[in-house]
Amino acid sequence: MAILLSTKAHTMQDWKAALLAVDPSLEIRLFPDAGNPDEIEAAVVWTAHDMMELRRYPNLKLIVSMGAGVDHLLRSPGPPPGIPVARLKDVLLTSAMAEWVLLNVLRFHRQDPEYRALQQRKEWLELSAPSTAERRVGILGIGELGSASARVLTSLGFPVMGWSRSAKTLPGVQNFHGAEGLVAMAGQSDILICLLPLTPQTRGVLNARLLSALPRGAYVINGARGGHMVAEDMLAALDSGHIAGAALDVFEPEPLPAESRFWSHPKVFLTPHAASITIPASVAPQVVENIHNMRAGRSLINLVDFSLGY
Ligand code: NDP
Ligand code: OXD
């Protein structure tokens, strides 16, 4: 039996080598060279893979996302009925996101855009410097990535709030949940960070209503999915000055079209979905563990709950 790998061409060999390093006995097929469809028992796939294509494999028993997000797998038509989907939880994926979040929180907190503008004008001017204790940070989604980011930020003295679906207790983090909690948290967030999974419930959460609930001059950081942000609402909030700056890693569609205003907006700091990149060698052990679990009929790890969408 064989494992089907499907991702960007330039990373395919890295994935194959990483999985074989953990279990050299695995038979790995690189899409589109799947060989005999009857032999494919697991598919390890990234965003571009067509879920209808996976219906070709009658003995498929497991789908693994090559990232933490699974929105690309669950959207219509979705995975073949009855096939479990696993996501990744990885220490390097998590720490890289916390680094990207910290980079952007500090960029805004330490007034880096203002200092760069002063440098351009050769103006020697010291700006007032609020302490971290005065800069309130709200995090939408306080799971693997959000809670790690919260830990880093609380260690620097930022007051951190977190919004989740269910009530949660995290050390040093004030928890909010539900629709009322969202607006209550936004009203106190000088910096709002989005680290939610993209589901029907969270699509468009960064909309005009939420942005207008933020204090005037707040900053927004989106490291989750482009579908969380209503692009026109974000641009309008930036243009009006209500939002002072945004760090955006994710867009809909990707790559971001050349004509998008986000590319050249003076208040936007953009990265090309690179906040945190999966390192195959780091995640291979959990993928192989799940393949072994699947073969042995044991419980799978990091399973997606289809009813929640993440
Ligand atoms: P987790 O599943 O660990 O955490 C998700 C969090 O969001 C949980 O706190 C969950 O609440 C909360 N949540 C989910 N739905 C709702 C809702 N309707 N209302 C309020 N809160 C909600 O996900 P991760 O932290 O691992 O990843 C988050 C996302 O980050 C991924 O889905 C992916 O899209 C994105 N990502 C982006 C990367 C990049 O490079 N830009 C890299 C990696 C991931 P609860 O705790 O109650 O379950
Ligand atoms: C992920 C991502 O979901 O890279 O892991 O976006």
Side-chain angles (χ1 to χ4, degrees), residues 39 80 97 137 178 264 292:
E39 290 169 5
M97 181 58 83
V137 179
S264 52
H292 290 168

Side-chain angles (χ1 to χ4, degrees), residues 63-254:
I63 301 172
V64 181
S65 167
M66 285 176 170
V70 292
D71 44 292
H72 55 289
L73 299 174
L74 300 195
R75 71 178 163 236
S76 178
I83 308 300
V85 172
R87 53 160 290 184
L88 299 179
K89 291 187 187 179
D90 176 59
V91 65
L92 295 186
L93 197 61
T94 300
S95 62
M97 181 58 83
E99 287 166 21
W100 182 84
V101 164
L102 182 62
L103 167 75
N104 288 296
V105 166
L106 291 183
R107 180 201 305 284
F108 296 135
H109 172 63
R110 295 304 304 256
Q111 300 139 305
D112 197 51
E114 289 82 354
Y115 278 116
R116 298 286 70 79
L118 288 169
Q119 183 180 356
Q120 285 285 316
R121 301 199 296 272
K122 301 187 176 162
E123 246 181 274
W124 187 267
L125 179 67
E126 184 185 298
L127 303 174
S128 73
S131 69
T132 55
E134 295 167 275
R135 190 84 73 178
R136 302 160 301 172
V137 179
I139 306 182
L140 304 174
I142 199 89
E144 290 295 311
L145 306 181
S147 59
S149 301
R151 274 194 298 280
V152 171
L153 295 171
T154 53
S155 76
L156 290 176
F158 289 100
V160 176
M161 300 164 283
W163 185 64
S164 47
R165 189 182 44 78
S166 53
K168 282 185 107 96
T169 316
L170 289 173
V173 179
Q174 190 186 353
N175 183 241
F176 294 81
H177 56 99
E180 283 164 23
L182 176 61
V183 178
M185 188 179 91
Q188 306 170 54
S189 297
D190 301 313
I191 300 179
L192 185 73
I193 302 166
C194 180
L195 289 173
L196 287 163
L198 184 62
T199 67
Q201 290 71 36
T202 64
R203 175 169 283 282
V205 66
L206 299 175
N207 56 26
R209 186 162 164 268
L210 185 72
L211 297 174
S212 65
L214 295 171
R216 186 167 178 82
Y219 299 94
V220 176
I221 297 175
N222 187 13
R225 285 290 182 267
H228 289 119
M229 176 178 77
V230 180
E232 313 80 65
D233 292 1
M234 178 64 79
L235 287 166
L238 288 163
D239 290 343
S240 74
H242 187 73
I243 299 300
L248 306 174
D249 184 59
V250 283
F251 297 90
E252 217 174 65
E254 292 179 2

